[in-house]
Amino acid sequence: MARAIVLVIDSFGVGHAPDAANFGGINANTFANLSRYFYQHEKRKISVPNLAKMGLVQAAFEAGKSEFPVEEQKPEQGAYGYAAELSTGKDTPSGHWEMMCVPVLFDWDYFPKEGNAFPVDLIDKINLATGYKGILGDCHASGTDIINKLGEEHIKSGLPICYTSADSVFQVAAHEEHFGLDNLYKYCETVRELLADMNVGRVIARPFVGSSPADFTRTGNRRDYSILPPSPTVLDAFTQAGGHVISVGKIADIYAHQGISEKTKATGIDALVDATITHINSAQDKSLIFTNLVNFDQDYGHRRDPVGYALALENFDKRMPEIISAMNDDDVLFLTADHGCDPTWPGNDHTREYVPVIAFHKQVRSVNIGERGTFADIGQTIADLFSLDKMPYGTSFLSDLDL
């Protein structure tokens, strides 16, 4: 029986979504704008020939309603299109849950942008439960900026750095050696429990190392503590039907470990790709290998580094033949994203964008599957591929894949 591989190019938007005005992102376009910036500053077009052959560039042209500087390669093999998001947020859980047929149709709770971010009574409860005498930060901030600003004070005081963003999230940065990784995880688990009455999507542990702002560096030991999706996802249906779901990267955290059979952590895009290939080479039939390539988002999107993003994308493109070579003839590879994070956009928040929808197997012809009304079309297609019951959201495009 076929296996499915889902690669999420975290933050790789391809044009502002129809409702982008509601999210402050009109004209945001992660792929197009980083390509224009790259061409202007590096004096050459970005080159992603393997992804282009699958239809990624053409899908991006159509989603953004315009062309942009990229070494063009016409689609040769693969179903390609792009999808709008139904969910009310432009965050990681919303995008991923919708991808697996559970869109977020409720409003998240967010922390205020002005003044102190967290309610005094919440901080009092956290201090009482954890034994710490206070927190540092208590504001909206970029993760790297706040570590550079408060990292030395954190080391001296022993107090955790707590901050938030435009997403529904409570983030805790702490030094792996001075604060301790296990202490950081325990602290975040306590915060997660104390947020039970609030609809906050994630508590994120953000460990770092170094001795000063000159060398403070976040490590790969990040951990996300998510609330459960509001209803069963395709992952739940698949595992209940005897399937095997393999999480690579932060996927298991995003789904609160529900519907996950096996998990592998890795740090960096190449390591995540390596882990994915290892699983493709060894996974049993009726497996779903699900990988999030977080570094596109955290290292380049949020840090507003268009050149770094472009170079990382080119490197990922070079790895595609390895992935395809490892696949069996009846395996299906899906490429998509969970939201946008245009590295040329003001601020450092996500952008509300279409995401690419690419499906590939070794016998598929080139076919344009057009604009999709929801990310859930991917999950519905996976459900169809494995003969699962139809999910409440999404439209399968399995019939376009020549299986």
Side-chain angles (χ1 to χ4, degrees):
M1 173 174 278
R3 304 176 303 174
I5 303 105
V6 180
L7 293 176
V8 180
I9 310 174
D10 198 316
S11 83
F12 190 67
V14 289
H16 72 260
D19 59 356
N22 298 330
F23 297 84
I26 286 291
N27 295 324
N29 187 325
T30 299
F31 191 18
N33 288 339
L34 75 84
S35 296
R36 292 181 181 117
Y37 187 99
F38 188 77
Y39 183 71
Q40 180 181 358
H41 289 81
E42 299 300 308
K43 310 305 179 187
R44 68 175 180 87
K45 295 180 180 179
I46 187 171
S47 178
V48 286
N50 297 301
L51 293 168
K53 288 177 184 177
M54 294 180 181
L56 180 66
V57 172
Q58 186 61 38
F61 286 167
E62 294 181 12
K65 311 296 189 293
S66 66
E67 297 187 0
F68 48 87
V70 59
E71 290 288 348
E72 193 170 347
Q73 171 73 48
K74 294 297 184 184
E76 293 182 3
Q77 189 179 14
Y80 63 91
Y82 55 97
E85 187 169 8
L86 289 179
S87 296
T88 58
K90 53 178 180 176
D91 53 86
T92 295
S94 297
H96 282 79
W97 295 357
E98 181 170 333
M99 203 182 298
M100 292 296 120
C101 298
V102 181
V104 174
L105 303 179
F106 56 83
D107 290 327
W108 294 109
D109 283 334
Y110 298 91
F111 295 109
K113 292 183 179 180
E114 304 299 329
N116 291 338
F118 307 119
V120 173
D121 62 337
L122 173 62
I123 298 304
D124 288 343
K125 290 177 183 177
I126 292 172
N127 291 340
L128 180 63
T130 62
Y132 289 92
K133 296 182 179 180
I135 65 170
L136 302 176
D138 196 4
C139 60
H140 275 243
S142 157
T144 52
D145 290 347
I146 202 166
I147 289 170
N148 289 336
K149 180 180 178 181
L150 297 176
E152 290 180 316
E153 184 179 352
H154 159 72
I155 291 171
K156 291 176 183 178
S157 69
L159 298 178
I161 303 170
C162 300
Y163 63 103
T164 188
S165 72
D167 290 343
S168 178
V169 64
F170 188 115
Q171 305 198 64
V172 185
H175 199 283
E176 284 199 2
E177 297 164 5
H178 295 279
F179 193 86
L181 192 59
D182 289 341
N183 284 340
L184 173 59
Y185 292 159
K186 184 177 179 181
Y187 187 95
C188 289
E189 289 163 6
T190 300
V191 174
R192 178 74 276 173
E193 292 173 2
L194 293 174
L195 287 172
D197 293 334
M198 297 183 68
N199 209 21
V200 175
R202 288 177 294 165
V203 175
I204 305 179
R206 294 282 197 177
F208 67 98
V209 294
S211 58
S212 74
D215 66 350
F216 283 148
T217 305
R218 293 199 295 197
T219 75
N221 292 318
R222 162 184 171 157
R223 186 170 293 180
D224 294 41
Y225 297 87
S226 174
I227 63 173
L228 285 169
S231 61
T233 69
V234 172
L235 305 183
D236 297 308
F238 186 53
T239 54
Q240 289 168 10
H244 190 76
V245 176
I246 300 168
S247 159
V248 180
K250 66 177 185 176
I251 292 295
D253 291 347
I254 295 167
Y255 293 93
H257 301 265
Q258 184 168 282
I260 304 296
S261 312
E262 179 181 353
K263 57 187 177 183
T264 297
K265 290 284 189 176
T267 302
I269 295 170
D270 279 323
L272 290 162
V273 171
D274 288 342
T276 301
I277 292 171
T278 296
H279 283 299
I280 296 172
N281 284 328
S282 61
Q284 64 196 40
D285 288 344
K286 202 175 180 182
S287 288
L288 170 58
I289 302 164
F290 198 173
T291 300
N292 176 282
L293 301 171
V294 65
N295 301 86
F296 285 104
D297 186 42
Q298 74 174 23
D299 293 351
Y300 308 113
H302 285 300
R303 295 187 188 183
R304 297 307 192 239
D305 181 2
V307 172
Y309 203 129
L311 294 174
L313 192 63
E314 289 186 329
N315 184 65
F316 174 61
D317 181 83
K318 292 175 182 176
R319 303 295 308 272
M320 289 307 303
E322 298 175 62
I323 296 170
I324 293 169
S325 177
M327 292 169 56
N328 295 333
D329 287 346
D330 56 353
D331 290 344
V332 182
L333 170 68
F334 297 88
L335 286 162
T336 189
D338 51 345
H339 49 69
C341 197
D342 187 336
T344 71
W345 204 250
N348 53 30
D349 294 329
H350 295 152
T351 42
R352 180 76 163 189
E353 297 185 49
Y354 289 114
V355 301
V357 178
I358 307 296
F360 173 89
H361 67 86
K362 292 183 178 180
Q363 290 79 40
V364 70
R365 70 192 191 284
S366 180
V367 55
N368 188 341
I369 58 174
E371 182 173 336
R372 318 299 300 188
T374 169
F375 297 3
D377 287 7
I378 294 171
Q380 195 70 260
T381 302
I382 292 170
D384 199 3
L385 175 67
F386 291 109
S387 300
L388 305 176
D389 290 341
K390 186 175 181 180
M391 300 296 292
Y393 292 91
T395 300
S396 172
F397 52 85
L398 187 67
S399 60
D400 292 305
L401 300 186
D402 295 331
L403 285 170

